Amino acid sequence: MTVTGLIREATISRQDAEALLATVLEVERAWIYAHGDEQVNPGNIDRFRKMAAARADGEPLAYLLGYRDFWTLRLRVNRDVLIPRRETEHLVEWANECITAGARRVLDLGTGSGAVALSCKAEHPEADVCATDLSPKALACARANGDDLNLSVDWREGDWFDAVPGERWQLILSNPPYIAAADPHLNEGDLPAEPARALISGETGLESLRHIIGRAPDFIEHGGWLLLEHGFDQASPLQEALFAGGFITISTRRDWSGQERITGGQWLS
Ligand SMILES: C[S@@+](CC[C@H](N)C(=O)[O-])C[C@H]1O[C@@H](n2cnc3c(N)ncnc32)[C@H](O)[C@@H]1O
């Protein structure tokens, strides 16, 4: 069987088939285009067919490839972590503005694969970045990414701020779970394969976000920023919660598709 023959027989998108075959053959995707007539050995045919079948059954491409590109980094991912989303790059963008403006002590709550913490550290090696997660398996993945990329982040395990008792930060970031438990979107796309703990937050979806806003004043320095990623319809209650919690300079930024996605405020009390 040739490279082209294998791509043709797959019952998944051509793009996914090419990405999977490139991973199996340990080549760049461009190689596939230039070597369509090349014979593939039986072991690799078998591996490719199994991966293509899993993809057809709904397994996310990123888990099959074992990586996802995010910001400027290639991050390893597995079923223990959320697949980093493009929208979250807006959180990194805003965080980097705060670091450029002087925030040096940075905390990423619920780090998953380490996407946000590692992207900030990659842009700003001078920042002291700490990242937490409740899941030891997620932290193992994040730590492995830090080691692969030679980026030094202080990884801590624990329930939100319990992981960093008695410490204060100039910038607190989080992309916490924010989907309501009964939201039908949980049955769509990659979501059924991703860890429920990374996606679901109580009956309204706002529970983790509200918890973080409520406790942040004890962990943020005067002049520090709290930046939160959230669902497209959650900006308004979060702005209210931030204001009620004593934050000021509150604003919301939209993502690539125009949805309200990141809300932040400053602590000047
Ligand atoms: C939406 S994922 C975000 C992962 C990563 N920051 C990203 O943007 O790709 C939320 C993360 O929060 C973690 N998490 C959920 N509940 C938590 C808790 N109570 N304390 C700390 N982390 C928690 C999950 O394990 C998951 O890794």
Side-chain angles (χ1 to χ4, degrees):
M1 175 74 76
T2 63
V3 164
T4 303
L6 273 177
I7 301 281
R8 273 212 180 129
E9 72 161 31
T11 57
I12 55 179
S13 80
R14 184 167 175 172
Q15 210 180 14
D16 287 3
E18 287 171 357
L20 289 174
L21 189 54
T23 295
V24 167
L25 299 178
E26 296 179 17
V27 296
E28 291 297 319
R29 186 121 153 243
W31 184 96
I32 302 273
Y33 305 127
H35 297 81
D37 294 336
E38 207 138 317
Q39 291 293 324
V40 180
N41 74 46
N44 282 338
I45 292 176
D46 196 40
R47 279 188 66 207
F48 172 76
R49 284 182 174 155
K50 282 190 178 134
M51 286 171 106
R55 180 74 192 115
D57 275 352
E59 184 70 4
L61 183 69
Y63 289 155
L64 289 165
L65 297 176
Y67 69 84
R68 169 54 57 96
D69 292 328
F70 177 85
W71 195 250
T72 58
L73 309 176
R74 175 154 292 185
L75 298 169
R76 65 169 81 186
V77 293
N78 57 41
R79 273 184 164 250
D80 298 322
V81 296
L82 183 97
I83 300 163
R85 306 290 203 269
R86 231 183 133 208
E87 299 91 274
T88 306
E89 293 182 348
H90 294 285
L91 179 60
V92 173
E93 214 165 52
W94 196 348
N96 282 328
E97 288 171 26
C98 294
I99 301 172
T100 301
R104 285 291 176 276
R105 283 180 50 72
V106 180
L107 176 64
D108 173 28
L109 292 170
T111 198
S113 63
V116 173
L118 290 167
S119 300
C120 291
K121 185 68 182 175
E123 290 293 315
H124 289 280
E126 75 281 10
D128 289 327
V129 182
C130 175
T132 77
D133 209 286
L134 189 59
S135 156
K137 288 182 176 174
L139 270 186
C141 177
R143 189 175 279 116
N145 277 320
D147 291 347
D148 286 351
L149 297 163
N150 204 19
L151 292 169
S152 168
V153 167
D154 182 2
W155 307 107
R156 309 264 191 100
E157 188 184 322
D159 186 358
W160 301 131
F161 289 104
D162 290 353
V164 290
E167 295 179 60
R168 286 197 183 258
W169 311 87
Q170 294 164 325
L171 176 59
I172 300 175
L173 310 166
S174 189
N175 171 21
Y178 54 70
I179 304 179
D183 190 323
H185 290 105
L186 289 165
N187 300 317
E188 291 175 12
D190 290 344
L191 273 58
E194 294 182 289
R197 182 190 277 164
L199 301 169
I200 300 168
S201 186
E203 274 179 34
T204 67
L206 286 164
E207 280 80 343
S208 299
L209 286 156
R210 287 191 190 283
H211 175 85
I212 291 169
I213 292 170
R215 291 199 70 199
D218 289 336
F219 296 88
I220 196 162
E221 284 189 12
H222 179 80
W225 284 87
L226 172 62
L227 306 183
L228 300 166
E229 179 170 334
H230 53 77
F232 70 95
D233 55 354
Q234 294 173 331
S236 172
L238 288 187
Q239 288 211 5
E240 279 168 32
L242 281 166
F243 188 68
F247 285 85
I248 61 149
T249 335
I250 297 160
S251 63
T252 295
R253 295 192 182 182
R254 292 178 188 272
D255 64 21
W256 314 102
S257 63
Q259 306 279 14
E260 292 184 319
R261 187 62 61 193
I262 319 283
T263 293
Q266 197 176 15
W267 184 251
L268 285 176
S269 296

